[in-house]
Amino acid sequence: MTLYRDEGVVLRTQKLGEADRIVTILAKRTGKVRAVAKGVRRTTSRFGARLEPFTHVDLQLHTGRTLDVVTQAETIRPYGEPLAADYPRYTAGTAMLETADRLTHGEKEPALRQFLLLVGGLRTLAEGGHEPRLVLDAYFLRSLAVAGYAPALDACAKCQATAVRAFAIVSGGVVCGACRPAGAAVPAGETIGLMTALLRGDWTKADASEQRHRSECSGLVAAYLQWHLEHGIRSLRHVEREPV
């Protein structure tokens, strides 16, 4: 039996048998791990509550044939507690967990930057200093950048011209008039500026943005993310949007 220790964020759980759960974790050093947590659905479980989604947890596991097994779990920070009390933050956090799961394809492939982004995003949501959808869009853009899918925002994604006219998902970001494909969106310049601010972490500019530009930004970012994932993010349908 090979024991190892790591810290991670619980992304999702599913029932196994009468008392066990399969827990999917994005771990700091190991990457995505699926492990069995035995007996955690019993009321007498020592660490059942520590293995719920959103929990940042320190783990000891041993390697199994198909699934690893959790032998110890200690909570580092229970992000689920502050998020569960606020519906917009909870739904934004749920979309973060689903995206992290989708962007880390292989199991036990190190994904340190994705782990750090997820922890930072959940912490920012829990602290409540910024509007939840802004935090979510910033997380989407940065996690896409780490995965190699950052949208072009400063110059045409096709020819590098600086006089951009539209945003084309299939082209990889903003495009000039000559490179603009049919059906490309034509967002306000302030919307592209907001996307840039979120990608760079300029919260002063992001927090000062107008609601109509936030709404337009959210629509473009969500469409761009889901196009690259080739799947919809189911939890996005529950994310609250403020009226324009």
Side-chain angles (χ1 to χ4, degrees):
M1 182 173 68
T2 302
L3 287 170
Y4 67 96
R5 198 168 198 95
D6 207 342
E7 65 177 88
V9 174
V10 179
L11 302 179
R12 56 187 168 93
T13 66
Q14 63 189 92
K15 294 179 180 178
L16 179 66
E18 295 184 358
D20 304 339
R21 277 199 182 106
I22 296 175
V23 184
T24 302
I25 301 153
L26 180 57
K28 184 175 183 178
R29 292 179 292 276
T30 314
K32 189 158 69 176
V33 177
R34 294 177 72 242
V36 176
K38 295 186 176 180
V40 295
R41 290 163 55 204
R42 296 193 182 103
T43 56
T44 56
S45 171
R46 291 176 295 120
F47 50 76
R50 304 170 195 170
L51 294 173
E52 293 293 334
F54 297 112
T55 307
H56 185 188
V57 63
D58 181 80
L59 296 165
Q60 180 175 281
L61 308 97
H62 73 71
T63 305
R65 291 184 179 179
T66 55
L67 295 171
D68 293 352
V69 178
V70 178
T71 58
Q72 292 181 15
E74 296 293 336
T75 301
I76 297 174
R77 185 165 181 182
Y79 291 110
E81 291 182 10
L83 296 183
D86 186 289
Y87 184 77
R89 298 187 190 284
Y90 175 80
T91 54
T94 301
M96 284 185 183
L97 297 186
E98 185 178 350
T99 301
D101 196 4
R102 295 283 184 86
L103 284 174
T104 50
H105 303 290
E107 293 185 25
K108 293 190 175 180
E109 295 180 3
L112 175 61
R113 293 178 68 191
Q114 291 290 1
F115 167 80
L116 294 175
L117 276 173
L118 180 59
V119 170
L122 293 176
R123 181 174 60 248
T124 302
L125 268 182
E127 290 172 348
H130 307 286
E131 197 268 327
R133 190 63 202 242
L134 284 179
V135 178
L136 179 60
D137 289 338
Y139 172 76
F140 283 162
L141 287 166
R142 294 180 201 179
S143 59
L144 281 165
V146 168
Y149 304 129
L153 297 174
D154 297 321
C156 178
K158 289 291 188 180
C159 71
Q160 305 305 307
T162 55
V164 295
R165 296 283 301 278
F167 187 93
I169 293 171
V170 296
S171 300
V174 295
V175 289
C176 66
C179 297
R180 174 186 173 185
V186 185
E190 293 88 347
T191 299
I192 299 301
L194 174 57
M195 293 174 71
T196 302
L198 293 173
L199 184 58
R200 295 176 179 174
D202 184 351
W203 285 106
T204 299
K205 183 174 182 178
D207 289 336
S209 60
E210 295 183 21
Q211 191 58 55
R212 58 196 176 102
H213 300 136
R214 294 184 187 186
S215 296
E216 190 172 43
C217 171
S218 292
L220 290 176
V221 171
Y224 188 82
L225 170 72
Q226 293 178 103
W227 188 84
H228 279 286
L229 291 178
E230 298 181 356
H231 292 284
I233 298 295
R234 290 177 296 175
S235 50
L236 263 180
R237 73 187 68 170
H238 302 297
V239 174
E240 289 192 340
R241 294 172 185 253
E242 295 293 333
V244 177

